[in-house]
């Protein structure tokens, strides 16, 4: 245990212990659904936090992992969730902001060093193909060394990236049917929300968006809607210490969804469960769990879950 005087170390220690406990529980409990959904990271924005990782989710069906967004630390969060990295099968990127993409290439590389030998398809907005190609080029020395020295299969031929420009059907396999809708997250375009329909469950992930009627349509009747959420009155505190505070505040307020509106969208879409994630602010002691939940419940009459890292949504 760190000394009492070292506050940050104590907090890190407590966070890591509680994450380990959550992961242990995940491994011990059988999931209620055959299609499993685990929140890997629940913070909005790219700055590393003590208690929440960058936004990412994984859906697990029949041993295959479908990862949605790849913020910093996504590979480690998958390990903490008990998901074998070699089970990675598909990656879906919602939009080109670094809190959703920073570890896109790293996830492929680290999954491969962890035993991945099978095909991975990646889906998202341009320049996804260029990012994939340049990432392999940047890491060519390490990849070539490991192929020759450790007997690994070449990595690049395993990965197939697919760029999307519009909403509609994305892919379908024996586990899932995936569709997407264009949402509004200016100036980043295109930005997508994704819907995953399996035999037993429907899950919609908003990505980053201001309130979107396209998202209401995509999420119609879904079992679970994971929606980004902003607590507007806390934004001044969030940006106060930053050199670009005025521009950042304007940006945040212009292209995200206030938590009450996330509740309204969930109500209009008729979903059963609303999960609040991509929280802005991610760590503000003046915004309590109850404040998030009560704001979401103003318009939504279904079940509301406040996202936290490594939570399996039942
Ligand atoms: Zn984001
Ligand atoms: Zn964004």
């Amino acid at each position: 245990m760190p000394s009492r005087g070292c506050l940050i170390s104590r907090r890190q220690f407590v966070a890591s212990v509680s994450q380990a406990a959550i992961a242990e529980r995940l491994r011990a409990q059988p999931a209620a659904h055959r299609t499993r959904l685990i929140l890997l990271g629940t913070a909005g924005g790219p700055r590393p936090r003590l208690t929440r990782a960058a936004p990412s989710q994984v859906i697990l069906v029949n041993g295959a992992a479908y990862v949605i967004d790849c913020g910093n630390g996504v590979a480690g969060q998958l390990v903490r969730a008990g998901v074998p990295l070699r089970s990675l099968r598909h990656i879906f990127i919602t939009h080109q902001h670094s809190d959703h993409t920073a570890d896109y290439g790293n996830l492929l590389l680290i999954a491969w060093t962890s035993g991945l030998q099978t095909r991975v398809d990646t889906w998202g907005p341009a320049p996804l193909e260029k990012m994939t190609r340049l990432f392999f080029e940047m890491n060519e020395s390490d990849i070539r060394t490991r192929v020759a020295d450790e007997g690994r299969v070449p990595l690049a031929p395993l990965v197939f990236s697919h760029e999307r420009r519009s909403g509609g059907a994305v892919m379908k396999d024996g586990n899932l049917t995936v569709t997407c809708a264009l949402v509004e997250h200016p100036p980043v375009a295109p930005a997508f929300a994704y819907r995953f329909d399996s035999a037993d469950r429907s899950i919609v992930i908003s990505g980053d968006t201001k309130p979107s009627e396209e998202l209401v349509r995509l999420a119609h009747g879904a079992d679970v809607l994971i929606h980004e959420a902003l607590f507007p009155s806390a934004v001044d505190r969030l940006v106060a210490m930053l050199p670009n505070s005025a521009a950042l505040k304007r940006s945040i307020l212009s292209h995200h969804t206030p938590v009450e509106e996330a509740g309204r969208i969930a109500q209009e879409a008729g979903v059963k469960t609303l999960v609040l994630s991509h929280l802005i602010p991610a760590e503000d002691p003046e915004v309590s769990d109850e404040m998030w939940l009560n704001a979401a419940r103003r318009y939504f009459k279904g079940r509301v879950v406040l996202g936290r890292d490594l939570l399996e949504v039942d």
Side-chain angles (χ1 to χ4, degrees):
M1 187 70 165
S3 72
R4 291 179 64 85
C6 184
L7 184 60
I8 289 183
S9 294
R10 280 175 62 84
R11 290 177 67 179
Q12 285 172 324
F13 179 81
V14 169
S16 68
V17 168
S18 63
Q19 289 192 337
I22 290 167
E24 186 57 38
R25 219 170 47 238
L26 282 179
R27 279 188 284 270
Q29 288 179 345
H33 300 269
R34 199 166 63 86
T35 302
R36 300 175 62 198
L37 167 63
I38 302 172
L39 308 180
L40 299 173
T42 54
R47 283 187 294 129
R49 305 323 208 275
L50 289 172
T51 58
R52 293 184 186 273
S56 180
Q57 299 77 203
V58 64
I59 295 171
L60 301 166
V61 195
N62 293 326
Y66 301 73
V67 172
I68 302 93
D69 280 335
C70 294
N72 176 229
V74 63
Q77 290 297 89
L78 282 163
V79 170
R80 291 180 193 99
V83 178
L85 292 178
R86 64 179 180 279
S87 67
L88 179 65
R89 180 63 189 86
H90 289 271
I91 295 174
F92 302 87
I93 298 294
T94 58
H95 67 294
Q96 293 287 355
H97 257 156
S98 54
D99 48 331
H100 303 255
T101 60
D103 272 4
Y104 163 70
N106 286 334
L107 177 57
L108 294 167
L109 180 65
I110 293 168
W112 176 72
T113 64
S114 304
L116 177 77
Q117 292 188 310
T118 48
R119 174 174 175 143
V120 178
D121 287 85
T122 72
W123 311 83
L128 191 69
E129 292 170 13
K130 183 180 178 185
M131 288 164 63
T132 309
R133 180 167 39 82
L134 293 183
F135 182 84
F136 291 147
E137 189 178 319
M138 181 175 79
N139 290 282
E140 192 270 340
S141 172
D142 174 75
I143 293 168
R144 180 165 36 83
T145 300
R146 292 185 189 281
V147 169
D149 186 43
E150 301 173 2
R152 298 183 188 277
V153 299
L155 172 56
L158 299 181
V159 180
F160 296 79
S161 54
H162 313 265
E163 290 183 356
R164 290 204 58 89
R165 289 166 187 78
S166 57
V170 178
M171 53 81 56
K172 180 179 169 64
D173 62 14
N175 294 325
L176 288 170
T177 300
V178 184
T179 50
C180 71
L182 280 171
V183 291
E184 292 182 76
H185 190 50
V188 179
F192 294 110
Y194 289 98
R195 176 171 179 140
F196 302 84
D197 288 283
S198 71
D200 64 324
R201 219 171 178 195
S202 49
I203 297 164
V204 176
I205 296 171
S206 72
D208 287 11
T209 182
K210 58 187 192 180
S212 163
E213 292 306 313
E214 288 292 323
L215 178 60
V216 171
R217 277 190 283 279
L218 183 74
H220 182 73
D223 294 314
V224 179
L225 169 62
I226 300 177
H227 203 298
E228 68 131 274
L230 163 70
F231 209 93
S233 63
V235 172
D236 281 328
R237 279 193 302 278
L238 178 68
V239 302
M241 302 301 288
L242 298 171
N244 56 334
S245 59
L248 184 58
K249 178 182 177 183
R250 202 165 46 242
S251 169
I252 289 171
L253 293 176
S254 73
H255 65 193
H256 289 293
T257 299
V259 57
E260 290 184 0
E261 288 295 297
R264 183 184 60 76
I265 286 161
Q267 186 68 26
E268 285 185 13
V271 304
K272 294 191 181 77
T273 296
L274 168 64
V275 180
L276 304 174
S277 188
H278 195 285
L279 302 179
I280 303 175
E283 292 176 329
D284 183 338
E286 294 187 40
V287 184
S288 67
D289 291 3
E290 281 305 308
M291 289 164 72
W292 284 110
L293 293 166
N294 288 339
R297 287 174 182 141
R298 177 163 182 194
Y299 299 117
F300 182 54
K301 303 309 169 200
R303 181 175 72 129
V304 183
V305 174
L306 181 61
R308 58 185 161 78
D309 289 15
L310 304 182
L311 174 73
E312 177 157 6
V313 180
D314 59 15

